[in-house]
Amino acid sequence: MYADPNRQGAGTQLCLPALCMALTAATVTYWRGRGRCEPLRVVLACGGVRFVGNYLEKKADMDALKASGKLEYDQVPLVEADGLNLVQGTPTAVYLAQGCGLWPEMPKEQYICGHILAATQDARGPLVSFPFHLDEQRCLEELQSPKGLLGRFAPRWEALLGEGKPYFLGATPSLADCAVYEASHSKD
């Protein structure tokens, strides 16, 4: 293990050498919206990784992307980094967090990051489904409901942060902080 305080996004966090990939660039492919891709963009931004947005404008763009063989399951988002075609949100977020110094070394802290990430995905449900129904009132009601972002998830995240803790894991930001930031700002 080593600590590299000079690596952007790493702070004084200890990393396993294999996980400290120091991502420097990526290409993110998705439609012109937040949807399932925005959490991945936020991880890259929080990690200081420059990325290019490749926006799908029409069905032919998606068809061409599928034909390219880059999409394991014929779905976007797609993040191209380190010579890989990263698909599926959760493993992509973890991979990017590892490469940006936003993934902890210890299993307990990894669990904390993982369960908070999963909760943000649940909390974002009304936002992800919005483009398919375009009912703003419905979306707001779902977000504010006792089972929604504001009713269930936000109070629990506040409790996990506790008094005086700047980040979920203490002094160092992690994937959990990026995910909650994105979820809590995605309704803007």
Side-chain angles (χ1 to χ4, degrees):
M1 294 186 305
Y2 69 98
D4 183 1
N6 299 316
R7 222 178 94 240
Q8 187 161 3
T12 57
Q13 177 175 347
L14 292 175
C15 299
L16 295 173
L19 300 181
C20 291
M21 300 173 290
L23 288 173
T24 57
T27 299
V28 179
T29 302
Y30 202 61
W31 53 276
R32 283 194 189 275
R34 293 179 176 186
R36 297 189 185 279
C37 190
E38 194 65 10
L40 304 177
R41 292 183 190 119
V42 169
V43 171
L44 289 167
C46 288
V49 177
R50 294 187 182 274
F51 64 92
V52 173
N54 180 27
Y55 299 104
L56 303 172
E57 302 289 343
K58 53 192 177 288
K59 185 180 182 307
D61 296 339
M62 184 65 178
D63 291 341
L65 186 58
K66 287 178 182 179
S68 75
K70 291 182 178 182
L71 300 177
E72 188 71 32
Y73 302 101
D74 293 336
Q75 297 172 296
V76 290
L78 164 68
V79 177
E80 297 172 77
D82 293 339
L84 299 172
N85 297 316
L86 304 170
V87 298
Q88 299 299 317
T90 300
T92 298
V94 170
Y95 182 88
L96 296 174
Q98 290 170 338
C100 296
L102 296 168
W103 189 250
E105 177 210 10
M106 301 305 294
K108 179 180 177 182
E109 292 174 338
Q110 291 173 355
Y111 168 76
I112 292 168
C113 283
H115 87 68
I116 292 172
L117 175 63
T120 63
Q121 292 167 340
D122 291 345
R124 295 179 80 257
L127 301 164
V128 172
S129 67
F130 174 74
F132 301 100
H133 60 71
L134 299 177
D135 184 340
E136 288 185 39
Q137 186 60 36
R138 172 183 160 188
C139 186
L140 286 173
E141 287 172 4
E142 290 175 357
L143 289 169
Q144 295 170 351
S145 78
K147 292 184 177 182
L149 173 72
L150 300 176
R152 174 188 289 177
F153 297 99
R156 291 193 171 108
W157 295 328
E158 287 178 3
L160 286 170
L161 277 170
E163 297 277 330
K165 260 174 58 177
Y167 303 107
F168 286 107
L169 300 180
T172 304
S174 69
L175 174 59
D177 301 287
C178 298
V180 168
Y181 171 83
E182 189 281 327
S184 62
H185 288 82
S186 60
K187 64 180 179 51
D188 296 338

